[in-house]
Amino acid sequence: MDFEEILKQVKVNLLELVNNDFTDFKDSGEEIVNTFLENSKDKLKRWTQLLANKEIDLEEYEWLLKSQKDLFEMNALLAAGISKIKIGRFKNKAIKTIVDVMCKLIL
């Protein structure tokens, strides 16, 4: 398992999500994605290895990701006037995007 390659694919997919579905915060999207991935990298690596080794299942993996969703840096979005509802939708779609990447690449 090449975690760095997985991380690159996650980043590409999250940026695509921002650019396609959340154009309201396209300008700050890359910063938000980079900050999240940087702050979560060690945990993501550990959890991804557990998933790849079948020590946890996909549902547990998703639950662990949800525990990290507050790491998405939302202050910039709130300051830009983005609603909390839209920010919440972004967080949920971002987690689904990460899970989808893991399904494709390691399961």
Side-chain angles (χ1 to χ4, degrees):
M1 177 182 83
D2 182 358
F3 181 73
E4 291 302 319
E5 189 58 39
I6 291 170
L7 203 60
K8 284 180 193 175
Q9 189 61 51
V10 167
K11 181 178 179 178
V12 166
N13 287 28
L14 288 175
L15 290 174
E16 189 175 293
L17 173 69
V18 170
N19 290 330
N20 292 338
D21 294 356
F22 295 92
T23 55
D24 298 11
F25 50 91
K26 188 185 283 190
D27 294 337
S28 54
E30 186 168 358
E31 179 184 341
I32 291 164
V33 167
N34 287 336
T35 301
F36 171 76
L37 292 176
E38 184 178 308
N39 291 338
S40 301
K41 184 177 181 177
D42 292 337
K43 288 180 181 179
L44 286 173
K45 185 175 184 176
R46 185 171 64 243
W47 299 339
T48 301
Q49 189 64 53
L50 290 171
L51 182 65
N53 293 340
K54 300 188 186 318
E55 294 176 47
I56 62 173
D57 62 22
L58 198 55
E59 187 176 312
E60 291 168 306
Y61 186 82
E62 187 171 358
W63 183 86
L64 289 167
L65 285 173
K66 287 179 182 177
S67 75
Q68 291 294 104
K69 75 179 182 181
D70 289 335
L71 284 179
F72 279 104
E73 196 59 47
M74 297 297 141
N75 293 335
L77 296 178
L78 287 171
I82 307 300
S83 74
K84 288 184 179 183
I85 293 170
K86 195 156 198 170
I87 293 169
R89 275 188 345 141
F90 170 70
K91 288 179 184 181
N92 292 331
K93 282 192 169 194
I95 289 168
K96 179 163 179 12
T97 297
I98 294 169
V99 169
D100 289 348
V101 168
M102 295 309 161
C103 284
K104 290 176 190 169
L105 297 179
I106 65 171
L107 293 181

